[in-house]
């Protein structure tokens, strides 16, 4: 029967985590493919997990596990039919201004009940072991193994092979299998009444342990979601990049809850400063747009996540109860802390701060959780090292900025990080500078960063769709979304109508549009940025933009004059706050030129690149119209994927890229050209030297709404 206990624990955990990326992926198209989807899913699922643990804590204080099990089995069987076909899942109401509300309500309505019951299963099985007089902690291993397998197998096995609807069917079959296995277990084991009465008394953790466990758990979850945001803001909000950090997060639980821990406090003290220094360097490289490949970014952030969670969960394991009857209290404390960390990162900070502060704040939280000593202490006080780190950091940044000029933010950031490492290396007492390191992180994001912002005349904005910076450098204004430039404009009156960045007249798109005959045309554009592409619309033309992010629309209107200047010149401009794909599906045969540039930061909304999406674009333009898609990306190779999708539709796509020019405002870019009439695109491509895909390697399987995976497009 021990094997059956382990199998039930394994399967319940597998099902619990297997459904999470399925739901989130199904909801992505309705919310424009934004990172808010996964963050809100995490909040929702952790909230349901907490409810499950609270219910188990209360019920198992008054009932034995065996006496409650029949009710649990009945509810599990009923909930297996709760879910709908996720391949066609659409929220009842979509709110672009409050996307988290859409995700939250959709998750609750679709998988709320089965997820809640699955979260109840693990503590139920472990409590049952206690009533039998067996050690419940080995079930942690089975449960964590199931969770890890569910997460790791999804992007590498499940997602490439099974469509969304098939994934849902398999999950339902797994639910019924779990019910059957629990029934076998219930029939096979019977407890004497005396054991049941004894086990029903239960026990709770002390308030000190509850607070410590909750706070430490919150730090770990905040780090997990901050690292996930750092990755998905720049590459894509997709299951592969969701589950890898989460898998490392769970792996750290497996490691630290072994009977003989794999990490010792002395090693943690040695590792901590170098972990934090590396994390700060990664943060600054992203903050100051230091170009590194997507693979290096992901690998570095995964190391930060894995080691950081390992460190913080090692401390969390020290708060586990000696009395197994207090296990449910421990679960409740951990879940409450995890939920608090998720809410802070996913819901609170995007509203109350205007920059990516969750990352350094999560680092500081980890440091504080690992600190044992109070801030003030007789003798060699940690406060001394804290003040030293703070002063060195701030003064170094200030001196570098003043001496090198306003355009050297990256240099200042790296020098400041080097100063932190130097302070840490000079310290001989490991514990003494933990609090100092936390304050050094604060210096990095507080006064020092304020100096940088002021020097660059920058304004920052943030909402659930991303982080924007509008900064003036010399005679130009820059728009940055996350870590990627999304537009540049000259500030002088005589040159402000000259398009810059990826949209300059010498680039692929600018060159093609500039040579098209001037006649009354209707332009459609998905994704706004600074609005530079409007320059190619001539008097009498109509320029319609579909932008899901209301903040982007406000920034383009308030800080850039591309749209206003074209309106004054006689161009009719219409701005629609909608998801581009959904809007274009209603505009069949409407446009002469359709421009697609909807990538937030460097992130690719995958639902805009599926075969179904390509068909929507082809239908939205007139028979002689054309479609231009901006596909520049540091981490993903989109040419083969687009070529595969167009081949599936019996059409052809052409590509052209450009290199960086000496003027840093004229950026390199990669564009795709296609049309509903292949002869139209072929004529343009031939005259302007656009080419089809020259790589002779087999094309990858095309992405569809039901089946897509990031690995097939990864730039290794």
């Amino acid at each position: 029967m021990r094997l059956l206990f382990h199998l039930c624990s394994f399967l319940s955990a597998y099902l619990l985590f297997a459904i999470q990326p399925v739901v989130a992926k199904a909801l992505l198209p309705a919310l424009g493919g934004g990172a808010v989807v996964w963050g809100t899913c995490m909040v929702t699922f952790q909230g349901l997990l907490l409810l499950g643990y609270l219910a188990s804590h209360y019920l198992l204080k008054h009932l034995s596990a065996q006496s409650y099990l029949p009710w649990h089995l009945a509810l599990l069987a009923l909930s297996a039919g709760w879910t709908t076909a996720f391949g066609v899942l659409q929220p009842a109401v979509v709110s672009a201004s409050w996307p988290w509300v859409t995700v939250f309500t959709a998750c609750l309505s679709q998988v709320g009940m089965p997820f809640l019951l699955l979260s109840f299963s693990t503590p139920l099985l472990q409590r049952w072991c206690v009533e039998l007089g067996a050690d419940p902690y080995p079930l942690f291993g089975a449960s964590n193994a199931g969770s890890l397998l569910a997460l790791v197998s999804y992007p590498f096995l499940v997602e490439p092979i099974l469509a969304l609807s098939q994934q849902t069917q398999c999950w339902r079959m797994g639910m019924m299998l779990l019910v059957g296995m629990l029934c076998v277990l219930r029939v096979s084991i019977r407890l004497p009444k005396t054991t049941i009465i004894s086990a029903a008394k239960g026990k709770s953790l002390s308030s000190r342990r509850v607070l410590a466990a909750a706070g430490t758990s919150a730090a770990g979850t905040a780090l997990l979601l901050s690292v996930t945001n750092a990755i998905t803001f720049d590459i894509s909000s997709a299951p592969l990049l969701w589950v890898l950090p989460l898998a490392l997060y769970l792996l750290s639980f497996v490691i630290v809850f072994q009977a003989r821990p794999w990490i010792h406090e002395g090693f943690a003290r040695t590792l901590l400063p170098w972990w934090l220094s590396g994390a700060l360097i990664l943060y600054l490289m992203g903050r100051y747009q230091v170009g590194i490949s997507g693979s290096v970014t992901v690998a570095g952030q995964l190391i930060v996540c894995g080691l950081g969670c390992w460190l913080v969960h090692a401390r969390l394991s020290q708060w586990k109860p000696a009395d197994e009857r207090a296990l449910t209290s421990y679960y409740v404390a951990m879940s409450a802390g995890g939920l608090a960390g998720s809410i802070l990162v996913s819901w609170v900070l995007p509203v109350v701060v205007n920059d990516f502060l969750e990352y350094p704040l999560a680092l500081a939280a980890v440091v504080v959780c690992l600190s044992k000593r109070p801030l003030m202490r007789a003798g060699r006080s940690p406060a001394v090292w804290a003040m030293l780190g703070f002063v060195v950091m701030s003064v170094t940044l200030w001196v570098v900025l003043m001496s090198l000029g306003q355009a050297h933010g990256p240099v200042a950031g790296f020098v400041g990080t080097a100063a932190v490492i130097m302070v840490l290396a000079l310290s001989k007492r490991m514990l003494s500078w933990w609090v100092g390191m936390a304050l050094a992180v604060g210096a990095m994001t507080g006064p020092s960063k304020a100096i940088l912002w002021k020097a660059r005349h920058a304004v920052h904005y943030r909402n659930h769709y991303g982080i924007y910076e509008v900064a003036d450098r010399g005679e130009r204004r820059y728009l940055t979304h996350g870590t990627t430039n999304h537009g540049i404009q000259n500030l002088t009156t005589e040159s402000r109508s000259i398009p810059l960045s990826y949209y300059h007249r010498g680039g692929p798109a600018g060159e093609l549009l500039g040579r098209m005959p001037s006649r009354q045309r209707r332009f459609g554009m998905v994704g706004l940025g600074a609005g530079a592409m409007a320059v190619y619309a001539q008097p009498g033309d109509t320029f319609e933009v579909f932008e899901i992010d209301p903040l982007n629309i406000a920034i383009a209107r308030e800080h850039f004059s591309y749209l206003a200047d074209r309106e004054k010149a006689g161009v009719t401009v219409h701005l629609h706050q909608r998801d581009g794909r959904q809007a274009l599906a209603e505009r069949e045969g409407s446009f002469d030129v359709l421009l697609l540039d909807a990538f937030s930061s460097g992130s690719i909304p995958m639902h805009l690149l599926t075969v179904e999406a390509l068909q929507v674009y082809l239908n939205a333009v007139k028979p002689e119209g054309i479609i231009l898609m901006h596909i520049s990306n540091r981490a993903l190779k989109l040419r083969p994927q687009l070529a595969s999708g167009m081949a599936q539709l019996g059409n052809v796509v052409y590509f052209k890229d450009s290199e960086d020019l000496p003027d840093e405002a004229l950026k390199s870019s990669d564009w795709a050209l296609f049309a509903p009439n292949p002869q139209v695109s072929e004529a343009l491509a031939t005259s302007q030297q656009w080419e089809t895909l020259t790589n002779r390697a087999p094309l990858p399987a095309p992405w569809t709404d039901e089946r897509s995976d990031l690995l097939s497009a990864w730039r290794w």
Side-chain angles (χ1 to χ4, degrees), residues 82-116:
W82 179 285
T83 56
T84 60
F86 292 109
V88 294
L89 173 65
Q90 289 293 331
V93 178
V94 177
S95 171
S97 299
W98 295 96
W100 63 270
V101 175
T102 301
V103 179
F104 182 70
T105 54
C107 287
L108 286 182
S109 63
Q110 300 298 328
V111 293
M113 181 58 70
F115 193 93
L116 181 65

Side-chain angles (χ1 to χ4, degrees), residues 286-514:
R287 174 67 180 83
Y288 295 112
Q289 302 173 39
V290 177
I292 54 177
S293 70
S295 296
V296 173
T297 298
V298 172
Q301 293 294 359
L302 290 178
I303 291 172
V304 169
C305 180
L307 290 179
C309 291
W310 185 25
L311 290 169
V312 78
H313 290 154
R315 175 54 55 88
L316 179 62
S317 69
Q318 296 176 7
W319 301 112
K320 67 184 178 183
D323 189 334
E324 291 88 351
R325 292 175 296 173
L327 270 177
T328 53
S329 297
Y330 185 57
Y331 282 137
V332 168
M334 284 197 303
S335 299
L339 177 61
S342 297
I343 291 175
L344 178 68
V345 172
S346 299
W347 288 357
V348 177
L349 289 177
V351 174
V352 301
V353 302
N354 57 9
D355 206 347
F356 186 46
L357 294 188
E358 59 262 38
Y359 192 92
L361 290 178
L363 301 182
V366 171
V367 172
V368 170
C369 286
L370 294 176
S371 178
K372 278 188 173 181
R373 298 190 178 190
L375 181 62
M376 298 303 296
R377 187 184 177 111
R380 301 175 75 182
S381 169
V384 174
W385 294 106
M387 292 296 292
L388 179 60
F390 185 86
V391 171
V392 169
M393 169 74 72
S394 300
V395 171
T396 302
L397 288 171
W398 184 81
V399 170
V400 171
L401 279 172
M402 295 303 104
S403 61
L404 298 180
Q406 298 176 354
H408 290 79
V411 177
F414 290 124
V415 171
T417 302
V420 173
I421 296 174
M422 179 181 67
V423 171
L424 303 182
L426 291 175
S427 175
K428 295 181 180 179
R429 297 179 62 190
M430 291 294 188
L431 289 175
S432 67
W433 36 252
W434 284 7
V435 177
M437 291 169 70
L439 288 183
V441 175
M444 184 69 67
T445 59
S448 302
K449 213 166 198 184
I451 293 173
L452 289 174
W453 290 352
K454 184 177 180 180
R456 297 170 65 194
H457 306 287
V459 181
H460 290 76
Y461 301 94
R462 182 174 185 177
N463 64 3
H464 291 287
Y465 290 101
I467 302 166
Y468 295 89
E469 178 189 78
V470 180
D472 293 349
R473 304 176 196 170
E475 296 299 319
R476 286 170 174 161
R477 178 164 292 170
Y478 292 74
L479 172 63
T480 303
H481 191 184
T483 62
T484 303
N485 176 270
H486 271 225
I488 306 172
Q489 185 174 27
N490 290 313
L491 295 177
T492 56
T493 304
E494 60 274 10
S495 60
R496 68 184 190 182
S497 292
I498 299 175
L500 300 174
S501 188
Y502 313 107
Y503 319 107
H504 63 89
R505 296 191 184 278
E511 190 178 51
L512 187 146
L513 293 173

Side-chain angles (χ1 to χ4, degrees), residues 121-130 136-137 139-140 327 331:
S121 298
T122 296
L124 175 66
L125 288 166
Q126 293 184 344
R127 180 57 182 272
W128 200 355
C129 279
V130 173
Y137 285 110
L139 293 185
F140 269 113
L327 270 177
Y331 282 137

